[in-house]
Structure formats: C-alpha cells, structure tokens
Amino acid sequence: MAGSASITSHTMDDDLHMKLLYLENRVAFARLFFPTEAKLAMDIAHAAPTPEFAGLAASKGSDGNLRGDDLDETPIMQNIRLRSRMEALMKTVEMGRRYFPNCSEVLDKFMEDDLPDLFYHEKGTPDEQRIKRTRFMELKEDVQGAFIRDTAEINPTNC
C-alpha cells in the first residue's frame, strides 16, 4: 500500500512540475514576444514578476544544470509554494487569453508546433536550417500581426 501511494505521489509531483514548466515557459515567451501585454496580464492577475516567472532561463543554474529545490523546505511547504506559483501562472495565462486573444493564439501555436524546432535552428541540414529560419521569420510576423489586432480591438479609435 505504501509503495503504491509513493508512486502515485511521485506521479502527481511530476505532473505538477510538467504543468509548471509549461506555464512558466508560456509566460516567459509571452514576456519575450509581447512584453507590455504580458506585464499587463501579470499586473491584472496580481502576479508579481519574480525569478519564478523567468521560464526557461530560470530553470537552469549557472552551471547549466536544472536548479535543485531548497533542501531546508519541507515537502508540504514546497507543495504549497509550487501550487501557489501554478495558480499565479494560470491566472496570468487566463488574463492574457481574455484581454489579448490574438497574442494568446500565436503563443498557443508556438508552444504546440514550433517550440522544439526553433531551439535547434542552428542544427540540421542547410535546407532544414533555412526552413527553420523562414518559420522563425513567419513567427515574428505572426507576433507583430497579433499585437496589431489586439491593440486595435482594445483601442479602436487609434487605428
């Protein structure tokens, strides 16, 4: 019985960490692609920008390895901290979707389709690299177009 509970707990921890990683990366890319809109969504969600919201860059220490958790923190306190962080990230994403739907749509597509490939745009055959660079340029255009559409929807008098 105890072994089964331990496996279930470990699986739940892995799920929590995977969801946190996804949300942190999404917020980090939102801050990269749409800095003003991401800051506004975080402000509306009352999610202060902290190192926790740094996403990919924060998930690695200075030596390039994944950061460890605070060894003095109890598992219960760690769980509370991680769940609180996840709630803040989820609320930030929700506010982004609500107020910037076009920008969110671009982020959705990026997170689903392009994220793995664009990290390795320097690798592959010359044709693969060209395709990845082309897709990156298309992504930049999508980001700019989404920003313009969301801005027009928020403030139609300025268009």
Side-chain angles (χ1 to χ4, degrees), residues 101-141:
N102 296 302
C103 294
S104 292
E105 187 177 314
V106 169
L107 278 171
D108 288 340
K109 184 164 177 33
F110 175 75
M111 295 295 289
E112 287 177 18
D113 299 339
D114 297 318
L115 182 61
D117 289 338
L118 289 178
F119 276 127
Y120 304 105
H121 67 83
E122 301 279 327
K123 297 189 180 197
T125 67
D127 283 341
E128 289 172 340
Q129 290 178 12
R130 183 183 47 76
I131 290 168
K132 290 176 185 179
R133 277 192 295 272
T134 301
R135 179 59 193 131
F136 185 75
M137 296 308 291
E138 289 171 0
L139 178 64
K140 279 178 64 177
E141 290 173 11

mmCIF file of all heavy atoms in Angstrom, residues 101-141:
data_model
loop_
_atom_site.group_PDB
_atom_site.id
_atom_site.type_symbol
_atom_site.label_atom_id
_atom_site.label_comp_id
_atom_site.label_asym_id
_atom_site.label_seq_id
_atom_site.Cartn_x
_atom_site.Cartn_y
_atom_site.Cartn_z
ATOM 1 N N PRO A 101 -6.497 38.004 -26.961
ATOM 2 C CA PRO A 101 -6.778 36.698 -27.571
ATOM 3 C C PRO A 101 -5.919 36.390 -28.794
ATOM 4 O O PRO A 101 -5.522 35.241 -28.996
ATOM 5 C CB PRO A 101 -8.260 36.786 -27.942
ATOM 6 C CG PRO A 101 -8.557 38.247 -28.026
ATOM 7 C CD PRO A 101 -7.642 38.909 -27.034
ATOM 8 N N ASN A 102 -5.602 37.384 -29.596
ATOM 9 C CA ASN A 102 -4.787 37.127 -30.782
ATOM 10 C C ASN A 102 -3.352 36.791 -30.402
ATOM 11 O O ASN A 102 -2.752 35.878 -30.974
ATOM 12 C CB ASN A 102 -4.830 38.340 -31.723
ATOM 13 C CG ASN A 102 -6.227 38.571 -32.261
ATOM 14 O OD1 ASN A 102 -6.808 37.698 -32.888
ATOM 15 N ND2 ASN A 102 -6.791 39.730 -31.978
ATOM 16 N N CYS A 103 -2.813 37.527 -29.464
ATOM 17 C CA CYS A 103 -1.463 37.220 -28.980
ATOM 18 C C CYS A 103 -1.427 35.826 -28.360
ATOM 19 O O CYS A 103 -0.480 35.059 -28.578
ATOM 20 C CB CYS A 103 -1.008 38.264 -27.958
ATOM 21 S SG CYS A 103 -0.769 39.926 -28.635
ATOM 22 N N SER A 104 -2.465 35.484 -27.608
ATOM 23 C CA SER A 104 -2.540 34.159 -26.981
ATOM 24 C C SER A 104 -2.615 33.054 -28.025
ATOM 25 O O SER A 104 -2.029 31.983 -27.847
ATOM 26 C CB SER A 104 -3.749 34.082 -26.053
ATOM 27 O OG SER A 104 -3.564 34.927 -24.953
ATOM 28 N N GLU A 105 -3.328 33.322 -29.100
ATOM 29 C CA GLU A 105 -3.434 32.329 -30.177
ATOM 30 C C GLU A 105 -2.068 32.063 -30.805
ATOM 31 O O GLU A 105 -1.701 30.916 -31.073
ATOM 32 C CB GLU A 105 -4.418 32.836 -31.231
ATOM 33 C CG GLU A 105 -4.746 31.829 -32.301
ATOM 34 C CD GLU A 105 -5.779 32.380 -33.281
ATOM 35 O OE1 GLU A 105 -6.785 32.949 -32.826
ATOM 36 O OE2 GLU A 105 -5.548 32.222 -34.490
ATOM 37 N N VAL A 106 -1.282 33.123 -31.023
ATOM 38 C CA VAL A 106 0.070 32.952 -31.560
ATOM 39 C C VAL A 106 0.923 32.146 -30.584
ATOM 40 O O VAL A 106 1.653 31.238 -30.979
ATOM 41 C CB VAL A 106 0.721 34.322 -31.866
ATOM 42 C CG1 VAL A 106 2.195 34.173 -32.166
ATOM 43 C CG2 VAL A 106 0.017 34.989 -33.034
ATOM 44 N N LEU A 107 0.814 32.455 -29.285
ATOM 45 C CA LEU A 107 1.565 31.698 -28.283
ATOM 46 C C LEU A 107 1.144 30.236 -28.251
ATOM 47 O O LEU A 107 1.993 29.346 -28.125
ATOM 48 C CB LEU A 107 1.385 32.313 -26.899
ATOM 49 C CG LEU A 107 2.275 33.497 -26.582
ATOM 50 C CD1 LEU A 107 1.847 34.147 -25.275
ATOM 51 C CD2 LEU A 107 3.724 33.086 -26.522
ATOM 52 N N ASP A 108 -0.167 29.977 -28.349
ATOM 53 C CA ASP A 108 -0.654 28.593 -28.376
ATOM 54 C C ASP A 108 -0.002 27.829 -29.520
ATOM 55 O O ASP A 108 0.510 26.720 -29.337
ATOM 56 C CB ASP A 108 -2.175 28.547 -28.558
ATOM 57 C CG ASP A 108 -2.942 28.988 -27.330
ATOM 58 O OD1 ASP A 108 -2.363 28.974 -26.229
ATOM 59 O OD2 ASP A 108 -4.124 29.343 -27.478
ATOM 60 N N LYS A 109 -0.041 28.423 -30.702
ATOM 61 C CA LYS A 109 0.529 27.760 -31.877
ATOM 62 C C LYS A 109 2.035 27.555 -31.706
ATOM 63 O O LYS A 109 2.557 26.489 -32.006
ATOM 64 C CB LYS A 109 0.239 28.572 -33.131
ATOM 65 C CG LYS A 109 0.725 27.900 -34.392
ATOM 66 C CD LYS A 109 0.096 28.504 -35.608
ATOM 67 C CE LYS A 109 0.580 27.929 -36.901
ATOM 68 N NZ LYS A 109 0.943 26.558 -36.937
ATOM 69 N N PHE A 110 2.709 28.557 -31.185
ATOM 70 C CA PHE A 110 4.147 28.445 -30.962
ATOM 71 C C PHE A 110 4.468 27.326 -29.984
ATOM 72 O O PHE A 110 5.347 26.500 -30.235
ATOM 73 C CB PHE A 110 4.710 29.767 -30.450
ATOM 74 C CG PHE A 110 6.165 29.688 -30.085
ATOM 75 C CD1 PHE A 110 7.127 29.640 -31.075
ATOM 76 C CD2 PHE A 110 6.560 29.644 -28.761
ATOM 77 C CE1 PHE A 110 8.480 29.550 -30.746
ATOM 78 C CE2 PHE A 110 7.899 29.561 -28.425
ATOM 79 C CZ PHE A 110 8.863 29.510 -29.418
ATOM 80 N N MET A 111 3.758 27.287 -28.858
ATOM 81 C CA MET A 111 4.021 26.278 -27.842
ATOM 82 C C MET A 111 3.737 24.872 -28.358
ATOM 83 O O MET A 111 4.413 23.918 -27.985
ATOM 84 C CB MET A 111 3.201 26.551 -26.574
ATOM 85 C CG MET A 111 3.556 27.835 -25.853
ATOM 86 S SD MET A 111 5.207 27.893 -25.170
ATOM 87 C CE MET A 111 5.072 26.734 -23.822
ATOM 88 N N GLU A 112 2.747 24.720 -29.227
ATOM 89 C CA GLU A 112 2.393 23.399 -29.752
ATOM 90 C C GLU A 112 3.299 22.955 -30.887
ATOM 91 O O GLU A 112 3.744 21.814 -30.924
ATOM 92 C CB GLU A 112 0.952 23.403 -30.269
ATOM 93 C CG GLU A 112 -0.086 23.427 -29.194
ATOM 94 C CD GLU A 112 -1.491 23.507 -29.762
ATOM 95 O OE1 GLU A 112 -1.674 23.197 -30.960
ATOM 96 O OE2 GLU A 112 -2.401 23.890 -29.021
ATOM 97 N N ASP A 113 3.564 23.858 -31.829
ATOM 98 C CA ASP A 113 4.199 23.459 -33.085
ATOM 99 C C ASP A 113 5.682 23.766 -33.178
ATOM 100 O O ASP A 113 6.452 22.963 -33.682
ATOM 101 C CB ASP A 113 3.511 24.146 -34.272
ATOM 102 C CG ASP A 113 2.042 23.778 -34.384
ATOM 103 O OD1 ASP A 113 1.652 22.728 -33.835
ATOM 104 O OD2 ASP A 113 1.295 24.543 -35.005
ATOM 105 N N ASP A 114 6.081 24.949 -32.737
ATOM 106 C CA ASP A 114 7.405 25.448 -33.072
ATOM 107 C C ASP A 114 8.429 25.380 -31.973
ATOM 108 O O ASP A 114 9.617 25.425 -32.237
ATOM 109 C CB ASP A 114 7.302 26.910 -33.535
ATOM 110 C CG ASP A 114 6.490 27.044 -34.796
ATOM 111 O OD1 ASP A 114 6.674 26.200 -35.685
ATOM 112 O OD2 ASP A 114 5.671 27.973 -34.888
ATOM 113 N N LEU A 115 8.005 25.309 -30.742
ATOM 114 C CA LEU A 115 8.935 25.391 -29.620
ATOM 115 C C LEU A 115 10.107 24.418 -29.743
ATOM 116 O O LEU A 115 11.253 24.849 -29.694
ATOM 117 C CB LEU A 115 8.199 25.195 -28.295
ATOM 118 C CG LEU A 115 9.026 25.303 -27.036
ATOM 119 C CD1 LEU A 115 9.653 26.688 -26.914
ATOM 120 C CD2 LEU A 115 8.178 25.006 -25.815
ATOM 121 N N PRO A 116 9.881 23.133 -29.948
ATOM 122 C CA PRO A 116 11.038 22.223 -30.002
ATOM 123 C C PRO A 116 11.969 22.517 -31.173
ATOM 124 O O PRO A 116 13.187 22.509 -31.016
ATOM 125 C CB PRO A 116 10.405 20.842 -30.163
ATOM 126 C CG PRO A 116 8.992 20.998 -29.729
ATOM 127 C CD PRO A 116 8.622 22.416 -30.014
ATOM 128 N N ASP A 117 11.426 22.820 -32.342
ATOM 129 C CA ASP A 117 12.254 23.019 -33.527
ATOM 130 C C ASP A 117 13.080 24.299 -33.463
ATOM 131 O O ASP A 117 14.237 24.317 -33.875
ATOM 132 C CB ASP A 117 11.389 23.061 -34.786
ATOM 133 C CG ASP A 117 10.822 21.695 -35.131
ATOM 134 O OD1 ASP A 117 11.405 20.688 -34.683
ATOM 135 O OD2 ASP A 117 9.805 21.643 -35.833
ATOM 136 N N LEU A 118 12.501 25.382 -32.980
ATOM 137 C CA LEU A 118 13.202 26.658 -33.015
ATOM 138 C C LEU A 118 14.380 26.716 -32.057
ATOM 139 O O LEU A 118 15.290 27.519 -32.237
ATOM 140 C CB LEU A 118 12.230 27.808 -32.751
ATOM 141 C CG LEU A 118 11.270 28.070 -33.903
ATOM 142 C CD1 LEU A 118 10.314 29.193 -33.548
ATOM 143 C CD2 LEU A 118 12.005 28.384 -35.190
ATOM 144 N N PHE A 119 14.394 25.863 -31.026
ATOM 145 C CA PHE A 119 15.533 25.844 -30.126
ATOM 146 C C PHE A 119 16.778 25.327 -30.836
ATOM 147 O O PHE A 119 17.890 25.625 -30.436
ATOM 148 C CB PHE A 119 15.272 24.954 -28.911
ATOM 149 C CG PHE A 119 14.535 25.662 -27.830
ATOM 150 C CD1 PHE A 119 13.376 25.122 -27.317
ATOM 151 C CD2 PHE A 119 14.994 26.859 -27.336
ATOM 152 C CE1 PHE A 119 12.688 25.776 -26.318
ATOM 153 C CE2 PHE A 119 14.317 27.520 -26.333
ATOM 154 C CZ PHE A 119 13.154 26.975 -25.820
ATOM 155 N N TYR A 120 16.578 24.559 -31.864
ATOM 156 C CA TYR A 120 17.700 23.934 -32.558
ATOM 157 C C TYR A 120 17.793 24.416 -33.996
ATOM 158 O O TYR A 120 18.129 23.658 -34.894
ATOM 159 C CB TYR A 120 17.551 22.408 -32.509
ATOM 160 C CG TYR A 120 17.423 21.894 -31.103
ATOM 161 C CD1 TYR A 120 16.200 21.466 -30.597
ATOM 162 C CD2 TYR A 120 18.524 21.876 -30.258
ATOM 163 C CE1 TYR A 120 16.088 21.023 -29.285
ATOM 164 C CE2 TYR A 120 18.414 21.437 -28.945
ATOM 165 C CZ TYR A 120 17.197 21.009 -28.476
ATOM 166 O OH TYR A 120 17.072 20.577 -27.186
ATOM 167 N N HIS A 121 17.517 25.720 -34.237
ATOM 168 C CA HIS A 121 17.525 26.220 -35.607
ATOM 169 C C HIS A 121 18.910 26.206 -36.224
ATOM 170 O O HIS A 121 19.048 26.285 -37.428
ATOM 171 C CB HIS A 121 16.893 27.619 -35.698
ATOM 172 C CG HIS A 121 17.666 28.684 -35.007
ATOM 173 N ND1 HIS A 121 18.726 29.318 -35.588
ATOM 174 C CD2 HIS A 121 17.529 29.237 -33.783
ATOM 175 C CE1 HIS A 121 19.218 30.216 -34.751
ATOM 176 N NE2 HIS A 121 18.502 30.180 -33.645
ATOM 177 N N GLU A 122 19.964 26.080 -35.429
ATOM 178 C CA GLU A 122 21.326 26.019 -35.943
ATOM 179 C C GLU A 122 21.713 24.596 -36.353
ATOM 180 O O GLU A 122 22.738 24.398 -36.975
ATOM 181 C CB GLU A 122 22.314 26.514 -34.876
ATOM 182 C CG GLU A 122 22.054 27.935 -34.415
ATOM 183 C CD GLU A 122 22.622 28.965 -35.366
ATOM 184 O OE1 GLU A 122 23.670 28.680 -35.975
ATOM 185 O OE2 GLU A 122 22.026 30.040 -35.497
ATOM 186 N N LYS A 123 20.896 23.607 -35.977
ATOM 187 C CA LYS A 123 21.231 22.217 -36.254
ATOM 188 C C LYS A 123 20.446 21.730 -37.462
ATOM 189 O O LYS A 123 19.413 22.260 -37.804
ATOM 190 C CB LYS A 123 20.937 21.336 -35.044
ATOM 191 C CG LYS A 123 21.784 21.721 -33.854
ATOM 192 C CD LYS A 123 21.662 20.738 -32.741
ATOM 193 C CE LYS A 123 22.564 21.235 -31.616
ATOM 194 N NZ LYS A 123 22.870 20.270 -30.661
ATOM 195 N N GLY A 124 20.953 20.694 -38.077
ATOM 196 C CA GLY A 124 20.283 20.093 -39.209
ATOM 197 C C GLY A 124 20.985 20.440 -40.512
ATOM 198 O O GLY A 124 21.996 21.138 -40.543
ATOM 199 N N THR A 125 20.424 19.931 -41.589
ATOM 200 C CA THR A 125 20.989 20.195 -42.914
ATOM 201 C C THR A 125 20.777 21.664 -43.261
ATOM 202 O O THR A 125 19.939 22.347 -42.650
ATOM 203 C CB THR A 125 20.302 19.310 -43.974
ATOM 204 O OG1 THR A 125 18.939 19.726 -44.087
ATOM 205 C CG2 THR A 125 20.397 17.837 -43.631
ATOM 206 N N PRO A 126 21.498 22.174 -44.257
ATOM 207 C CA PRO A 126 21.281 23.575 -44.667
ATOM 208 C C PRO A 126 19.816 23.859 -45.051
ATOM 209 O O PRO A 126 19.301 24.930 -44.735
ATOM 210 C CB PRO A 126 22.209 23.743 -45.868
ATOM 211 C CG PRO A 126 23.321 22.772 -45.607
ATOM 212 C CD PRO A 126 22.656 21.596 -44.949
ATOM 213 N N ASP A 127 19.157 22.901 -45.692
ATOM 214 C CA ASP A 127 17.741 23.090 -46.037
ATOM 215 C C ASP A 127 16.875 23.173 -44.779
ATOM 216 O O ASP A 127 15.966 24.005 -44.697
ATOM 217 C CB ASP A 127 17.230 21.954 -46.928
ATOM 218 C CG ASP A 127 17.679 22.105 -48.376
ATOM 219 O OD1 ASP A 127 18.067 23.229 -48.755
ATOM 220 O OD2 ASP A 127 17.627 21.102 -49.106
ATOM 221 N N GLU A 128 17.138 22.307 -43.810
ATOM 222 C CA GLU A 128 16.380 22.341 -42.553
ATOM 223 C C GLU A 128 16.605 23.656 -41.824
ATOM 224 O O GLU A 128 15.663 24.242 -41.285
ATOM 225 C CB GLU A 128 16.776 21.158 -41.655
ATOM 226 C CG GLU A 128 16.296 19.820 -42.151
ATOM 227 C CD GLU A 128 16.866 18.653 -41.352
ATOM 228 O OE1 GLU A 128 17.917 18.840 -40.672
ATOM 229 O OE2 GLU A 128 16.275 17.571 -41.409
ATOM 230 N N GLN A 129 17.847 24.134 -41.803
ATOM 231 C CA GLN A 129 18.142 25.408 -41.157
ATOM 232 C C GLN A 129 17.411 26.554 -41.857
ATOM 233 O O GLN A 129 16.873 27.446 -41.203
ATOM 234 C CB GLN A 129 19.650 25.677 -41.158
ATOM 235 C CG GLN A 129 20.426 24.776 -40.232
ATOM 236 C CD GLN A 129 21.924 25.040 -40.297
ATOM 237 O OE1 GLN A 129 22.365 26.031 -40.871
ATOM 238 N NE2 GLN A 129 22.704 24.146 -39.714
ATOM 239 N N ARG A 130 17.377 26.529 -43.188
ATOM 240 C CA ARG A 130 16.679 27.560 -43.956
ATOM 241 C C ARG A 130 15.189 27.541 -43.636
ATOM 242 O O ARG A 130 14.572 28.578 -43.411
ATOM 243 C CB ARG A 130 16.901 27.358 -45.458
ATOM 244 C CG ARG A 130 16.268 28.441 -46.330
ATOM 245 C CD ARG A 130 16.460 28.167 -47.813
ATOM 246 N NE ARG A 130 16.154 26.799 -48.226
ATOM 247 C CZ ARG A 130 14.932 26.303 -48.376
ATOM 248 N NH1 ARG A 130 13.885 27.033 -48.117
ATOM 249 N NH2 ARG A 130 14.756 25.055 -48.775
ATOM 250 N N ILE A 131 14.608 26.341 -43.571
ATOM 251 C CA ILE A 131 13.177 26.201 -43.251
ATOM 252 C C ILE A 131 12.903 26.743 -41.843
ATOM 253 O O ILE A 131 11.910 27.449 -41.625
ATOM 254 C CB ILE A 131 12.730 24.730 -43.387
ATOM 255 C CG1 ILE A 131 12.726 24.323 -44.856
ATOM 256 C CG2 ILE A 131 11.365 24.506 -42.758
ATOM 257 C CD1 ILE A 131 12.593 22.829 -45.099
ATOM 258 N N LYS A 132 13.772 26.426 -40.898
ATOM 259 C CA LYS A 132 13.580 26.897 -39.526
ATOM 260 C C LYS A 132 13.716 28.412 -39.439
ATOM 261 O O LYS A 132 12.949 29.070 -38.729
ATOM 262 C CB LYS A 132 14.574 26.213 -38.585
ATOM 263 C CG LYS A 132 14.269 24.731 -38.376
ATOM 264 C CD LYS A 132 15.321 24.067 -37.535
ATOM 265 C CE LYS A 132 15.081 22.573 -37.440
ATOM 266 N NZ LYS A 132 16.106 21.901 -36.641
ATOM 267 N N ARG A 133 14.694 28.981 -40.167
ATOM 268 C CA ARG A 133 14.835 30.446 -40.169
ATOM 269 C C ARG A 133 13.607 31.102 -40.804
ATOM 270 O O ARG A 133 13.111 32.114 -40.307
ATOM 271 C CB ARG A 133 16.102 30.859 -40.914
ATOM 272 C CG ARG A 133 17.342 30.792 -40.045
ATOM 273 C CD ARG A 133 18.519 31.485 -40.700
ATOM 274 N NE ARG A 133 18.969 30.837 -41.917
ATOM 275 C CZ ARG A 133 19.851 29.857 -41.974
ATOM 276 N NH1 ARG A 133 20.402 29.406 -40.866
ATOM 277 N NH2 ARG A 133 20.200 29.334 -43.126
ATOM 278 N N THR A 134 13.094 30.497 -41.874
ATOM 279 C CA THR A 134 11.888 31.016 -42.525
ATOM 280 C C THR A 134 10.715 30.961 -41.558
ATOM 281 O O THR A 134 9.943 31.922 -41.447
ATOM 282 C CB THR A 134 11.569 30.213 -43.798
ATOM 283 O OG1 THR A 134 12.688 30.303 -44.690
ATOM 284 C CG2 THR A 134 10.318 30.733 -44.485
ATOM 285 N N ARG A 135 10.572 29.848 -40.851
ATOM 286 C CA ARG A 135 9.473 29.717 -39.888
ATOM 287 C C ARG A 135 9.623 30.732 -38.756
ATOM 288 O O ARG A 135 8.638 31.292 -38.291
ATOM 289 C CB ARG A 135 9.423 28.289 -39.321
ATOM 290 C CG ARG A 135 8.336 28.093 -38.302
ATOM 291 C CD ARG A 135 6.945 28.385 -38.863
ATOM 292 N NE ARG A 135 5.986 28.492 -37.789
ATOM 293 C CZ ARG A 135 5.112 29.480 -37.644
ATOM 294 N NH1 ARG A 135 5.052 30.440 -38.517
ATOM 295 N NH2 ARG A 135 4.292 29.502 -36.627
ATOM 296 N N PHE A 136 10.855 30.986 -38.337
ATOM 297 C CA PHE A 136 11.082 31.978 -37.301
ATOM 298 C C PHE A 136 10.643 33.366 -37.782
ATOM 299 O O PHE A 136 10.012 34.124 -37.041
ATOM 300 C CB PHE A 136 12.547 31.993 -36.871
ATOM 301 C CG PHE A 136 12.822 32.907 -35.727
ATOM 302 C CD1 PHE A 136 12.448 32.559 -34.440
ATOM 303 C CD2 PHE A 136 13.445 34.126 -35.924
ATOM 304 C CE1 PHE A 136 12.685 33.399 -33.367
ATOM 305 C CE2 PHE A 136 13.681 34.971 -34.856
ATOM 306 C CZ PHE A 136 13.306 34.609 -33.582
ATOM 307 N N MET A 137 10.949 33.703 -39.024
ATOM 308 C CA MET A 137 10.525 34.989 -39.579
ATOM 309 C C MET A 137 9.004 35.052 -39.685
ATOM 310 O O MET A 137 8.390 36.084 -39.402
ATOM 311 C CB MET A 137 11.178 35.235 -40.945
ATOM 312 C CG MET A 137 12.697 35.364 -40.878
ATOM 313 S SD MET A 137 13.297 36.558 -39.663
ATOM 314 C CE MET A 137 12.765 38.066 -40.406
ATOM 315 N N GLU A 138 8.382 33.943 -40.072
ATOM 316 C CA GLU A 138 6.914 33.889 -40.114
ATOM 317 C C GLU A 138 6.341 34.101 -38.717
ATOM 318 O O GLU A 138 5.342 34.803 -38.546
ATOM 319 C CB GLU A 138 6.439 32.545 -40.662
ATOM 320 C CG GLU A 138 6.687 32.346 -42.128
ATOM 321 C CD GLU A 138 6.400 30.915 -42.581
ATOM 322 O OE1 GLU A 138 6.011 30.074 -41.735
ATOM 323 O OE2 GLU A 138 6.565 30.650 -43.779
ATOM 324 N N LEU A 139 6.975 33.500 -37.724
ATOM 325 C CA LEU A 139 6.523 33.652 -36.346
ATOM 326 C C LEU A 139 6.614 35.115 -35.918
ATOM 327 O O LEU A 139 5.695 35.645 -35.289
ATOM 328 C CB LEU A 139 7.345 32.770 -35.408
ATOM 329 C CG LEU A 139 7.016 32.873 -33.929
ATOM 330 C CD1 LEU A 139 5.589 32.398 -33.664
ATOM 331 C CD2 LEU A 139 7.995 32.052 -33.110
ATOM 332 N N LYS A 140 7.712 35.785 -36.284
ATOM 333 C CA LYS A 140 7.843 37.203 -35.952
ATOM 334 C C LYS A 140 6.714 38.013 -36.584
ATOM 335 O O LYS A 140 6.138 38.897 -35.940
ATOM 336 C CB LYS A 140 9.200 37.741 -36.423
ATOM 337 C CG LYS A 140 10.341 37.426 -35.489
ATOM 338 C CD LYS A 140 11.665 37.931 -35.994
ATOM 339 C CE LYS A 140 11.713 39.429 -36.093
ATOM 340 N NZ LYS A 140 13.037 39.927 -36.515
ATOM 341 N N GLU A 141 6.366 37.703 -37.812
ATOM 342 C CA GLU A 141 5.267 38.400 -38.483
ATOM 343 C C GLU A 141 3.939 38.089 -37.800
ATOM 344 O O GLU A 141 3.097 38.978 -37.629
ATOM 345 C CB GLU A 141 5.203 38.007 -39.962
ATOM 346 C CG GLU A 141 6.354 38.553 -40.779
ATOM 347 C CD GLU A 141 6.368 38.023 -42.211
ATOM 348 O OE1 GLU A 141 5.370 37.391 -42.644
ATOM 349 O OE2 GLU A 141 7.385 38.240 -42.881
#
